[in-house]
Amino acid sequence: MEKKLLSLIIPCYNEEESLPFLFDELTKVAEVLSERYRSEFIFVNDGSKDNTAKVLKHYAAVDERVKYITLSRNFGKEPAMYAGFCNADGDYVAVMDADMQDPPSLLPQMIDIIEQGEYDCVATRRVTRQGEPPVRSFFARLFYKLSNKMSETTIVDGARDFRLMKRQMVKAIVRMSEYNRFSKGIFSWVGFNTYWLQYENVERVAGKTKWSFWKLFLYAIDGFVDFSNAPLAISAIVGIIFTILAFIMVIFIIMRKLIFGDPVEGWPSMVCIIVFIGGIELFCIGIIGEYLSKIYLEVKNRPIYIIGDTNIDDAN
Ligand code: UDP
Ligand code: MG
């Protein structure tokens, strides 16, 4: 019987320092699995500005399992992962970070779980957030709470992008060719039986995180907007409440005029109300604008990533 193929997708952005550690570890894990599986390592170089491209070329020259896809510029982790999915041939496909925060040593265990046949996918979640700034952990938790209230697509707290999937699930993800990509939502949306493997947080082996607080904040907003229409509904409801409130106030003012005459009073409170309503209006328009801009990007139908250089023959 032919051995099954295992594809490992690794998005890399300025990871020249982590890659040697990772490559070492991947080789070891592949060795352990080699009796039953062939492996391919698909490194997606997301427009790195350091020597990542060079390092990858070197690995590809010495090890034929190494495939690299260098994107024409930095597109972001989401497009990089998508480029990997589109070019992975494996019966089983896994995504993992280049910095070893997703321990490759978990792979044999993940494969065993899938092989038992009950699950289509093994996903991982961190049960601790050790080594992470407390403010970041707090907002991350808040995001998961809010997003699970607002959207029907559940996003598990602490879920990593690190997961192993059967071919069938990868096909489904490739079909989700939306421009605004939020993988944690996409993985959940496509369904399939998922086993959650828990592990303790591991700190990055070398190099620096690519996510500033601000970038994460914007990413969280993407998460809300891509998988929930609740913000639109909330803004509509706030609109209705204020209209009703305004009606009551009009009636109140007419009655007061009829009963007490017309003293010119209360303009400061009037200004406060106008500013308050104006603020809420702008906020709601902002929410609509957020969705509109997503539609705009989606309608333009631009490619999600562009390949600059690769050693995969029929890359697409
Ligand atoms: N990454 C990428 N493109 C980017 C940013 C990050 O391909 O624009 C990759 C990065 O090389 C790493 C993974 O995505 O393999 C996760 O990034 P990072 O470790 O910086 O995020 P963190 O683990 O701190 O959330
Ligand atoms: Mg990391």
Side-chain angles (χ1 to χ4, degrees), residues 15 97-102 160 202 204 209-211:
E15 298 285 5
D97 284 8
D99 57 8
M100 307 251 286
Q101 280 193 297
D102 302 332
R160 307 262 320 159
V202 185
R204 175 180 250 292
T209 175
K210 313 298 176 311
W211 296 89

Side-chain angles (χ1 to χ4, degrees), residues 67-277:
K67 314 243 166 95
Y68 64 85
I69 303 173
T70 293
L71 303 185
S72 60
R73 63 171 169 85
N74 177 240
F75 278 82
K77 184 184 177 189
E78 293 285 348
M81 286 197 287
Y82 189 67
F85 287 131
C86 291
N87 289 289
D89 295 324
D91 302 288
Y92 298 143
V93 177
V95 211
M96 60 174 65
D97 284 8
D99 57 8
M100 307 251 286
Q101 280 193 297
D102 302 332
S105 52
L106 287 177
L107 278 170
Q109 193 188 348
M110 291 162 87
I111 290 183
D112 281 347
I113 295 170
I114 282 206
E115 283 281 330
Q116 283 163 17
E118 195 185 334
Y119 296 98
D120 306 298
C121 166
V122 179
T124 56
R125 67 183 281 255
R126 303 187 278 188
V127 277
T128 53
R129 285 177 171 273
Q130 253 166 36
E132 195 183 55
V135 185
R136 180 171 291 200
S137 304
F138 171 78
F139 279 102
R141 294 236 155 77
L142 188 70
F143 166 76
Y144 288 114
K145 263 205 202 106
L146 276 179
S147 107
N148 287 332
K149 283 235 163 67
M150 279 178 3
S151 167
E152 281 171 22
T153 308
T154 355
I155 297 175
V156 175
D157 185 358
R160 307 262 320 159
D161 290 333
F162 181 31
R163 53 171 76 212
L164 181 74
M165 292 167 269
K166 279 191 184 162
R167 176 102 226 119
Q168 207 57 25
M169 182 163 174
V170 178
K171 271 199 205 151
I173 292 169
V174 170
R175 278 179 62 198
M176 304 267 289
S177 56
E178 56 208 64
Y179 187 83
N180 298 289
R181 305 191 69 78
F182 186 73
S183 281
K184 291 186 199 338
I186 291 175
F187 292 149
S188 161
W189 192 93
V190 294
F192 295 96
N193 266 344
T194 302
Y195 180 91
W196 285 97
L197 190 68
Q198 315 207 347
Y199 73 100
E200 306 258 319
N201 189 33
V202 185
E203 288 187 49
R204 175 180 250 292
V205 63
K208 276 203 285 290
T209 175
K210 313 298 176 311
W211 296 89
S212 61
F213 186 79
W214 179 239
K215 247 175 137 180
L216 271 180
F217 179 72
L218 293 180
Y219 188 58
I221 291 185
D222 281 345
F224 285 133
V225 174
D226 291 354
F227 282 91
S228 166
N229 290 328
L232 284 176
I234 293 169
S235 63
I237 291 167
V238 170
I240 293 170
I241 292 174
F242 274 84
T243 315
I244 295 171
L245 219 66
F247 254 113
I248 296 171
M249 272 147 76
V250 167
I251 291 166
F252 171 75
I253 285 166
I254 291 175
M255 297 305 272
R256 198 172 64 169
K257 154 96 177 144
L258 290 179
I259 298 167
F260 300 108
D262 187 22
V264 185
E265 238 179 34
W267 65 268
S269 55
M270 186 75 102
V271 170
C272 293
I273 292 168
I274 290 174
V275 170
F276 179 58
I277 306 266

